[in-house]
């Protein structure tokens, strides 16, 4: 058995079946399968099929509750407070994309705070879905501890991503999605698994010293992007995604990757702004700037995703033997 | 005549007189003088007294209208649209800090978009004033062209700062204020004025090649912080501060520094979030995290400012002969 090319429909049904066999409600299994496959289609494999095994293990151990139903309250007029209840974040984020745009149109902007939440996957997907509805959207998400505040050595901050999307007249939205660490943690995990060194500048060891040893790096901290500036932005995201929403801080959150311990109960904050809040010209103006950027030979952030998706729709997705084995194993051992 | 130590009161009256002599309304002169002196007190001299000469020249040439009165409308329930009318930004930003918190308390969050605006000075001061009122605040400001989109060579983006502040229970707010360029443009201007080289990595020449020649750098582009990530954030800020608000993009905005040409008509977007929108625990939670950061030997962003201010209050501010000469010249030549 080797790598196989599967259609999206075939792959979706297998991933869904694997989650249902792992104590996940069918509709939630559907939503989570879609999110992981969409990530894989965009080439974001760190948030794609590679997560199936750890998500399923967490559902089986109860670290994530595959039957949890989020609840929504509106503590202020332009807000949604979403209690994800220890379940997967994707159904709650889909609800935010369904209900928050109307609030933002009425008030000019609106926000949703998620707590008792879990891994949000590709942050850019959630803001892109908002931009498709005429929203300028910002998503701040915290993650388990990985980075030290600038000048410190203890990993008090997550690699906390910020994602942003804006609609562009007569074109796909601009989508920005970046971690506030120098590099994604997945790169270091991969190097450690393959016993390979990492480049200088990616990480510090447990004593706060620069290291090229991937295993030492995993015991230490990731470096922030842009030094003090990235650490400051990660701190800002802890405040927005956790202190404000009532979620766990990075240093209180358990791993998204293993089935050990209490639920991570991480947080996300989505702010949506009606792109036409101040003027009907916004998306046309963005298109004008986007045109100049393209003319200058630069690429707009997120511009590659459309071509990738079309290619996958035409050709299907190549799935590794390892992933196929995981799916078979999960489906064969329902709990 | 050499450098002099002046009390804040004495300095304020001189700076105010210099602006009044330069065709600025007395109340606006007061507001602008306060902003520049506050910047100087915090050690942010690039936004401090060094700006007096160029601000006054712009008021004298009409590039900034020293008698302009901003107007406010509320196109959506939780918004303020502020037309700065080609005047100084400071009075309009003071109005935002006076009126936006009430909107944010009602709706959970609110935003103010400023257009036909000018240099906002120390972005951190405006969000700090919001945090002093219980707001978590974000300020996005665009500036005249200085940076290329990632992969491009034309300076289509400003060095666009982002500022953030959050209230901390029983302590001063956390304040983050950073440009999305690697370094502030002022550093390059200073090196060029002194005919000195700049470190590698700060800037590219007009051909898009790395340079250590400060004069060539001023004709080229600044490098973004964190490479592609910083360029993406600068683009995000163009969209928020200009496309959304109806302000000029960086590449349409004239310089904040000279008296030539049309007004810059730059933009700013302030988002204020009621820190208690979701829970009354937010500021206590932030204080808990701040305590851990301090215990780890790291410093909170903006932590140095309080001591600096107290020192200035005790000892007065040292003002250079050059600034004193500028003040004397302006006061002696009213228009």
């Amino acid at each position: 058995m080797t790598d196989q090319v599967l259609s999206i429909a075939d792959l979706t049904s297998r991933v869904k079946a694997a989650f249902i066999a792992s104590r996940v409600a069918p509709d939630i299994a559907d939503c989570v399968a879609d999110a992981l496959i969409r990530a894989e289609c965009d080439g974001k494999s760190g948030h794609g099929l590679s997560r199936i095994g750890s998500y399923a293990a967490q559902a089986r151990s109860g670290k994530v509750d595959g039957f949890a139903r989020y609840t929504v309250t509106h503590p202020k007029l332009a807000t949604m407070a979403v209690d994800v209840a220890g379940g997967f974040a994707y159904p709650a984020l889909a609800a935010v994309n369904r209900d928050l745009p109307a609030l933002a149109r009425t008030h000019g902007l609106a926000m949703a705070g998620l707590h008792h939440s879990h891994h949000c996957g590709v942050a850019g997907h959630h803001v892109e879905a908002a931009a498709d509805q005429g929203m300028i959207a910002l998503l701040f998400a915290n993650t388990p501890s990985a980075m030290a505040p600038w000048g410190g050595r203890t990993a008090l901050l997550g690699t906390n991503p910020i994602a942003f999307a804006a609609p562009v007249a007569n074109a796909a939205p601009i989508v920005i999605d970046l971690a506030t660490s120098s590099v994604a943690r997945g790169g270091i995990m991969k190097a450690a698994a393959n016993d390979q060194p990492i480049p200088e500048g990616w990480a510090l060891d447990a004593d706060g010293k620069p290291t090229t040893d991937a295993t030492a790096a995993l015991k230490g901290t990731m470096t922030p992007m842009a030094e003090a500036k990235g650490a400051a932005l990660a701190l800002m995201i802890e405040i927005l995604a956790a202190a404000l929403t009532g979620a766990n801080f990075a240093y209180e959150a358990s791993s998204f990757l293993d089935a050990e311990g209490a639920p991570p109960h991480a947080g996300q904050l989505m702010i949506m702004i009606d792109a036409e809040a101040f003027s009907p010209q916004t998306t046309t103006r963005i298109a004008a700037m986007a045109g100049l950027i393209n003319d200058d030979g630069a690429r707009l952030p997120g511009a590659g995703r459309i071509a990738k998706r079309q290619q996958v729709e035409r050709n299907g997705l190549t799935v590794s033997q390892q992933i196929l084995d995981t799916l078979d194993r999960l489906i064969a051992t329902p709990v």
Side-chain angles (χ1 to χ4, degrees), chain A residues 1 14 18 22 49-57 60 320-333:
Chain A
M1 193 172 169
R14 290 205 216 184
S22 303
L49 304 180
S50 67
R51 298 273 178 166
I52 293 170
S54 70
Y55 277 16
R60 285 169 185 242
S320 72
Q321 183 181 337
Q322 191 189 355
I323 300 291
L324 293 166
D325 287 349
T326 300
L327 289 169
D328 288 344
R329 174 178 56 78
L330 292 168
I331 293 168
T333 57

Side-chain angles (χ1 to χ4, degrees), chain A residues 196-311:
Chain A
Q196 290 188 325
I198 53 169
E200 274 183 52
W202 282 20
L204 308 175
D205 66 19
D207 295 324
K209 298 207 179 94
T211 184
T212 57
D213 178 333
T215 305
L218 287 179
K219 288 178 192 155
T221 60
M222 314 271 303
T223 54
M225 72 178 207
E227 306 192 329
K229 292 183 181 189
L233 291 174
L235 172 62
M236 172 183 92
I237 294 168
E238 286 295 327
I239 291 172
L240 291 168
L244 175 66
T245 65
N248 272 349
F249 283 125
Y251 60 82
E252 300 165 321
S254 61
S255 172
F256 289 154
L257 291 163
D258 64 41
E260 309 302 314
H265 286 174
Q268 289 94 22
L269 181 76
M270 172 87 91
I271 297 175
M272 290 190 195
I273 300 171
D274 180 350
E276 301 197 344
F278 294 116
S279 148
Q281 298 303 318
T282 304
T283 63
T284 312
R285 295 262 300 145
I286 297 171
M289 183 170 59
L292 290 177
I293 291 173
N294 284 326
D295 289 350
D296 194 42
R299 260 176 51 174
L300 290 167
R305 73 193 188 280
I306 309 290
K308 274 187 198 147
R309 285 177 198 168
Q310 288 169 342
Q311 193 188 9

Side-chain angles (χ1 to χ4, degrees), chain A residues 23-29 32 59 62-71 83-92 115-118 263 265:
Chain A
R23 211 181 282 138
V24 178
D27 59 321
I28 296 173
V32 176
K63 188 175 181 181
V64 64
D65 179 352
F67 289 89
R69 299 292 165 181
Y70 62 83
T71 55
D83 183 346
V84 182
F88 286 105
Y90 302 107
H115 67 287
H116 293 143
S117 191
H118 194 261
H265 286 174

